[in-house]
Amino acid sequence: MPLFLPLFKRLWRVLTPILLLLFAPMALAADPFGIPAISITTDADGTQNYSVTIQILFLMTALTLLPALLMMMTSFTRIIIVFAILRQALGLQQTPSNQILLGLTLFLTIFIMTPVFETVNEIALQPYLKSELQPLQAVQQAAGPFREFMLGQTRESDLSLFARIAHIDQLSDPKEVPFSILVPAFVTSELKTAFQIGFMIFIPFLVIDLVVASVLMAMGMMMMSPIIISLPFKIMLFVLVDGWAMVIGSLAASYGI
């Protein structure tokens, strides 16, 4: 690492003036009453130059929060945990792969959240695109369906826990619950529900492992791993009962679909 320090210092000396030259004119030329999304400069020869301002920089930075919003405010957390426990119960380390599980979880999340997305599109997005709502009003309108969805899946004990931590004595109206309390309470409830479903899935495969281990022990084959013998039986059982359809159907039904 010490060998790279001179190189890092040299790169920092070179990049710092460049960054200052790029962003200082944007900050100095910013309108105090609002920052335009794109500023267009016309040169003497008639050509135009486009420069991205600080507002776009902030917008691109805010986009990094989208993965966290997807995981923390939708059904994504419950589904991915159940799939991970299912793969562990089957004894399959890399099958299905993480990419397949994430893709399946993402599309199943979209399927479950479609009513919420449609409501947001109807009461917030379309009026905003038609200039009937201001940006802040559109955000407030869009928060309503998500709040209703999360409250329907959140336990009262979890809400009380985070309200007590935030020193809020009583929440008389669900609409008064701030997102700073609702989101962690919703995630906590999702984790508990996901592990409960995973426990119920794990039990049949655990029974197969115990039976196979007992048979091998009775036959004196103590050096053979029970996982090698039980894996085909667990896969056969999972296929015969149409396991994927049962798991996915149960997950969708747990959200009232």
Side-chain angles (χ1 to χ4, degrees), residues 158-197:
D158 295 325
L159 276 176
S160 301
L161 170 64
F162 286 96
R164 185 171 64 254
I165 295 175
H167 303 288
I168 298 177
D169 297 332
Q170 187 176 2
L171 297 171
S172 57
D173 189 357
K175 296 182 179 180
E176 297 179 356
V177 179
F179 273 89
S180 59
I181 294 177
L182 180 57
V183 172
F186 169 73
V187 175
T188 303
S189 296
E190 287 291 282
L191 289 173
K192 183 176 181 179
T193 304
F195 277 92
Q196 288 176 343
I197 298 175

Side-chain angles (χ1 to χ4, degrees), residues 31-250:
D31 186 0
F33 299 98
I35 302 176
I38 299 177
S39 57
I40 304 174
T41 304
T42 304
D43 297 333
D45 57 354
T47 60
Q48 293 181 334
N49 296 322
Y50 300 85
S51 60
V52 180
T53 58
I54 299 176
Q55 183 176 352
I56 296 298
L57 181 63
F58 288 161
L59 178 61
M60 297 303 294
T61 303
L63 289 178
T64 59
L65 298 175
L66 284 179
L69 294 177
L70 174 65
M71 291 186 292
M72 299 295 104
M73 298 177 63
T74 64
S75 58
F76 188 92
T77 301
R78 182 187 302 185
I79 298 171
I80 192 63
I81 290 178
V82 170
F83 283 163
I85 295 177
L86 172 62
R87 185 173 65 178
Q88 185 70 25
L90 284 170
L92 302 172
Q93 300 299 323
Q94 298 296 331
T95 304
S97 63
N98 293 331
Q99 291 82 355
I100 294 176
L101 289 184
L102 288 173
L104 180 59
T105 302
L106 179 59
F107 281 100
L108 190 56
T109 299
I110 295 174
F111 170 76
I112 293 174
M113 298 296 297
T114 294
V116 178
F117 293 153
E118 290 179 348
T119 305
V120 170
N121 179 66
E122 180 181 352
I123 68 175
L125 181 59
Q126 293 302 323
Y128 171 72
L129 295 177
K130 295 177 182 178
S131 300
E132 298 175 359
L133 292 177
Q134 297 297 324
L136 184 58
Q137 294 175 336
V139 172
Q140 292 174 348
Q141 290 290 334
F146 281 98
R147 183 189 301 274
E148 183 179 356
F149 169 78
M150 289 189 290
L151 282 173
Q153 304 298 326
T154 304
R155 293 176 174 82
E156 294 183 3
S157 58
D158 295 325
L159 276 176
S160 301
L161 170 64
F162 286 96
R164 185 171 64 254
I165 295 175
H167 303 288
I168 298 177
D169 297 332
Q170 187 176 2
L171 297 171
S172 57
D173 189 357
K175 296 182 179 180
E176 297 179 356
V177 179
F179 273 89
S180 59
I181 294 177
L182 180 57
V183 172
F186 169 73
V187 175
T188 303
S189 296
E190 287 291 282
L191 289 173
K192 183 176 181 179
T193 304
F195 277 92
Q196 288 176 343
I197 298 175
F199 172 78
M200 299 302 297
I201 293 175
F202 214 106
I203 293 299
F205 302 111
L206 180 61
V207 171
I208 294 177
D209 286 333
L210 292 175
V211 171
V212 172
S214 300
V215 172
L216 291 178
M217 184 72 68
M219 296 175 63
M221 304 174 64
M222 294 176 292
M223 300 302 295
M224 177 174 287
S225 175
I227 298 177
I228 300 176
I229 307 300
S230 63
L231 181 57
F233 291 99
K234 290 191 289 187
I235 294 177
M236 180 181 64
L237 172 65
F238 191 69
V239 172
L240 289 177
V241 300
D242 199 6
W244 285 110
M246 291 182 59
V247 172
I248 293 175
S250 299

